[in-house]
Amino acid sequence: MARSMRDIKRQIKSVQNTRQITKAMEMVAASKLRKAQEKAEAARPYSEKLKEVVASIAAGSQDATHPMLVSRPVKKTAYLIVTSDRGLAGGYNANILRKVTMLLAERHKSKDEYALFVIGRKGRDFLRRREYPIVEEITELSDTPKFADIKSIAYSAVQQFETGVYDELYLCYNRFVNAISQVPTVDRLLPMEPMENQEKKAEGLHATYEYEPSAEGVLEVLLPKYAETLIYSAILDGKASELGAKMTAMGSATKNASKMIGNLTLTYNRARQAAITQEITEIVAGANAQS
């Protein structure tokens, strides 16, 4: 019984140490989340305004054309997938990777029909083990990445669509809603949606834009930047989602540890009570035997 009590006490101590670690990780994630959330939200107005300008130019000039606005027969598709470098983030990585693998299985009969651009070690390792065709990767991003950190992979994906290497480009990431809700999202980035819908929105706008030398010249510069901006915005969303998922997961782990400590303490007290009762019984029995 004494040995069993020592084991329980040792287990309680181990769980208490684990709880301290998960609580610290929860607090660190919470402190980083605010900054990541602010950065993700700050990027949205810029991309929305850029979208408004592009829509206005394309809708206002019938002669303005660009490869990013034109749909073509799909021979090969590219996917840019945003995951994390580390685990302990609940279902953050599993959810988006499950959605992507299911989508690939539904849309493609062969791995020759698509290529993957991967951000994050978890996604890279998962997809590499299953021999998915990864063409480019980026790992070790900070919790508040700068555009320069992802410019190379964003530029490469957009440029290869422009040159016809890929006929579609999809963006796969976790869209940040709040600290406890992140939605696995797959959006078609290129070719961009037809401008008819944007034209209707543009009709209600009173702002007019003057540009030189031509609409095509402006679109030539703006569209690649716009696509790269959307990629960067998705990565910021992904980082905020990662930290939110990590905070939630560590919070749950801390609560579970506290519950386990309570159960183990109850078991320990019962074992201790049983040991004391046993000793009293033995003492009484010895006293009776002597009388």
Side-chain angles (χ1 to χ4, degrees):
M1 180 63 70
R3 180 179 176 83
S4 176
M5 287 173 62
R6 283 199 300 270
D7 290 343
I8 296 171
K9 201 168 184 178
R10 192 180 299 117
Q11 191 174 0
I12 290 173
K13 183 64 176 175
S14 175
V15 177
Q16 285 175 337
N17 292 338
T18 301
R19 182 176 64 177
Q20 288 180 346
I21 294 171
T22 57
K23 183 64 177 177
M25 293 180 70
E26 179 189 3
M27 294 175 68
V28 169
S31 65
K32 291 181 177 179
L33 174 60
R34 171 176 288 184
K35 188 173 182 180
Q37 184 177 352
E38 288 175 354
K39 198 164 184 179
E41 291 174 349
R44 289 171 187 163
Y46 176 77
S47 61
E48 288 296 323
K49 191 64 178 178
L50 194 55
K51 183 176 183 180
E52 176 190 318
V53 173
V54 169
S56 177
I57 294 173
S61 176
Q62 301 298 328
D63 299 328
T65 59
H66 191 277
M68 291 186 183
L69 302 175
V70 180
S71 296
R72 52 183 181 251
V74 179
K75 296 178 182 178
K76 195 164 186 176
T77 304
Y79 297 86
L80 195 151
I81 305 166
V82 181
T83 62
S84 69
D85 287 311
R86 297 171 183 81
L88 299 178
Y92 172 79
N93 291 302
N95 291 338
I96 188 62
L97 290 171
R98 186 185 305 113
K99 189 176 184 69
V100 169
T101 51
M102 289 176 61
L103 180 66
L104 294 177
E106 291 172 2
R107 288 175 54 90
H108 305 287
K109 297 179 181 179
S110 167
K111 291 182 179 179
D112 296 330
E113 295 180 358
Y114 59 89
L116 306 179
F117 295 81
V118 184
I119 296 174
R121 182 181 287 112
K122 286 294 182 180
R124 180 200 66 184
D125 293 347
F126 175 89
L127 296 165
R128 182 181 286 173
R129 283 195 301 269
R130 290 157 180 78
E131 298 182 345
Y132 283 90
I134 299 174
V135 293
E136 288 192 40
E137 62 186 64
I138 286 184
T139 58
E140 298 300 332
L141 285 180
S142 70
D143 292 323
T144 53
K146 299 178 181 178
F147 180 72
D149 299 332
I150 58 92
K151 183 177 180 180
S152 60
I153 196 170
Y155 176 81
S156 179
V158 173
Q159 186 68 20
Q160 289 186 61
F161 173 84
E162 270 195 274
T163 56
V165 177
Y166 307 115
D167 302 302
E168 283 184 323
L169 175 60
Y170 284 85
L171 198 51
C172 313
Y173 65 103
N174 281 286
R175 181 168 55 82
F176 180 81
V177 179
N178 53 51
I180 60 174
S181 179
Q182 303 85 35
V183 182
T185 304
V186 177
D187 290 333
R188 192 180 78 167
L189 180 62
L190 298 172
M192 293 183 180
E193 292 182 4
M195 290 297 175
E196 288 80 2
N197 295 333
Q198 300 298 333
E199 186 176 0
K200 292 178 181 178
K201 295 179 182 178
E203 288 176 357
L205 300 173
H206 298 290
T208 58
Y209 301 94
E210 296 181 2
Y211 41 84
E212 289 185 6
S214 64
E216 281 191 3
V218 174
L219 291 177
E220 189 75 28
V221 176
L222 279 185
L223 283 173
K225 290 186 180 296
Y226 174 52
E228 292 170 10
T229 299
L230 289 183
I231 293 173
Y232 179 55
S233 180
I235 291 170
L236 293 179
D237 253 85
K239 277 297 179 182
S241 296
E242 177 190 345
L243 292 169
K246 187 171 290 186
M247 186 185 76
T248 302
M250 291 302 98
S252 297
T254 301
K255 290 178 182 178
N256 290 338
S258 297
K259 185 177 180 180
M260 187 179 294
I261 290 169
N263 292 336
L264 287 170
T265 302
L266 181 61
T267 302
Y268 175 81
N269 290 337
R270 286 175 176 172
R272 185 167 175 270
Q273 185 178 11
I276 293 171
T277 302
Q278 180 77 18
E279 289 177 2
I280 292 174
T281 302
E282 290 174 357
I283 291 171
V284 171
N288 291 336
Q290 291 179 356
S291 59

